[in-house]
Amino acid sequence: MRKAAAVPLSLIGLGLTGLAYASVVERNTFRLRRFDVPVLEPGQRPVRVLHLSDLHLTPGRRMLINWVRSLGTLKPDLVVNTGDSIAHPDAVGPLMHALEPLLSRPGLFVYGSNDMYAPIFKNPVRYLWRTSKGDHGRKIPSLPWEELGTAMSDEGWLNMNNTTARLKVGDLDVAVGGINDSHINLDRYDEIAGPAPAEADLRLGVMHSPEPRNMSRFADDGYQLLLAGHTHGGQVCVPFYGALVTNCGIDRARVKGLSRHESAFLHVSAGLGTSPFSPVRFSCFPEASLLTLVPRPRGDASTREVR
């Protein structure tokens, strides 16, 4: 019987080095991405929207908590949290501590599945051929999602799960439509369906998972800017190739960053955290995004990232 060929020690060392980098270095190297979004009417004053998503916070993540706190110095006009904020029953307090410097700003939030259901171990390889939709198989939430929502609502942030709202952001009258997480079939777009108010200065759609069927309905109803998270930007990406998976219906090319979906601008955040059971990021740094909404040049609907 032939013996299996031994794996060279150099390859083992390379693999361990890569794992250490992905779990210790890149996972904790938080970045702020900046985009200009030409979505306003000519003559309107720019406003800045801070987009946070997918913190998956556990109480011990001090570096993440302190980095989020540092974002308060940006003084955004609006903060939008697109879900999966917690990953531990005791994480609501640490999350609110992280958000405290931002809570004086107008804010919106929706839930992700991991705000309700505690993470469990899953074989990460299976994401190559399927999404995790329907995997939790649990009927009773195991995380304090109601406490989470109450904590943010008590600070004045609007709960946008399957509802609409109007608010003042800078000089803008903003109409918002939001849905709960489609990844666990809690999205109820029919409850907010219909043309967004045409007289609003900005029509903003908010969701956790960027499912094309919902994004198309937002665009058809006249929402101009859509914000989502969930994808983690692919989380483990191949340099010069990009994400291998999106874990939802969106294509790999739009797994993170600013793009278009039909008539609307779309921003998908790669998020700031990971599941505690897969604490690695590779070629996909954790991020928050500062979107500066600016007047669109006449006849020009291009997007631009500000380096």
Side-chain angles (χ1 to χ4, degrees):
M1 180 181 295
R2 295 179 60 185
K3 293 183 178 180
V7 178
L9 291 178
S10 60
L11 290 180
I12 296 176
L14 183 63
L16 292 175
T17 299
L19 180 61
Y21 166 79
S23 61
V24 177
V25 178
E26 186 166 324
R27 176 175 175 250
N28 293 300
T29 304
F30 310 109
R31 292 185 171 180
L32 179 69
R33 300 181 76 191
R34 298 173 184 261
F35 295 89
D36 284 352
V37 189
V39 72
L40 303 181
E41 293 292 335
Q44 290 180 322
R45 299 174 72 183
V47 299
R48 300 192 303 165
V49 178
L50 179 63
H51 183 187
L52 304 176
S53 198
D54 297 270
L55 276 75
H56 293 275
L57 192 65
T58 54
R61 295 216 58 196
R62 299 305 311 173
M63 293 178 68
L64 174 55
I65 290 170
N66 290 336
W67 191 84
V68 173
R69 287 184 61 84
S70 75
L71 297 175
T73 61
L74 297 172
K75 300 188 183 305
D77 299 292
L78 175 68
V79 183
V80 178
N81 176 2
T82 50
D84 275 5
S85 297
I86 58 174
H88 189 280
D90 298 327
V92 174
L95 174 72
M96 298 308 293
H97 177 66
L99 295 176
E100 185 268 335
L102 296 165
L103 293 174
S104 63
R105 322 303 297 183
L108 314 169
F109 68 92
V110 292
Y111 295 126
S113 61
N114 287 283
D115 293 320
M116 300 181 180
Y117 299 98
I120 58 176
F121 176 77
K122 302 171 186 176
N123 180 358
V125 176
R126 66 182 178 170
Y127 287 100
L128 294 174
W129 64 83
R130 53 166 293 187
T131 74
S132 60
K133 185 177 176 67
D135 277 358
H136 63 85
R138 292 168 282 177
K139 302 298 184 183
I140 301 176
S142 53
L143 289 178
W145 63 276
E146 291 176 305
E147 178 187 346
L148 170 66
T150 297
M152 289 189 284
S153 294
D154 284 350
E155 295 292 340
W157 284 15
L158 300 182
N159 183 333
M160 295 308 306
N161 290 285
N162 299 324
T163 192
T164 60
R166 295 285 282 271
L167 74 160
K168 192 78 170 177
V169 178
D171 293 333
L172 301 183
D173 170 26
V174 179
V176 187
I179 53 174
N180 207 328
D181 190 6
S182 59
H183 208 62
I184 50 174
N185 300 316
L186 292 180
D187 54 319
R188 302 289 184 268
Y189 194 91
D190 286 346
E191 296 182 11
I192 69 166
E199 70 278 10
D201 296 316
L202 174 69
R203 297 175 293 279
L204 176 65
V206 183
M207 71 205 89
H208 177 65
S209 181
E211 289 294 345
R213 60 180 173 80
N214 283 324
M215 296 190 300
S216 292
R217 295 192 72 180
F218 275 115
D220 289 345
D221 280 343
Y223 289 92
Q224 301 156 287
L225 174 61
L226 313 179
L227 302 184
H230 176 70
T231 66
H232 295 193
Q235 189 166 326
V236 176
C237 299
V238 177
F240 309 110
Y241 178 79
L244 298 174
V245 298
T246 68
N247 197 27
C248 63
I250 200 171
D251 51 284
R252 291 190 308 105
R254 297 185 295 164
V255 71
K256 66 178 179 180
L258 189 64
S259 62
R260 297 300 296 260
H261 185 81
E262 299 172 5
S263 60
F265 286 91
L266 168 68
H267 181 262
V268 179
S269 173
L272 283 163
T274 67
S275 166
F277 292 103
S278 54
V280 296
R281 278 183 178 257
F282 190 82
S283 197
C284 186
F285 288 92
E287 67 178 40
S289 295
L290 187 66
L291 310 177
T292 300
L293 312 187
V294 299
R296 57 179 179 269
R298 299 185 190 281
D300 182 2
S302 61
T303 65
R304 179 166 65 91
E305 180 174 0
V306 181
R307 299 289 183 180

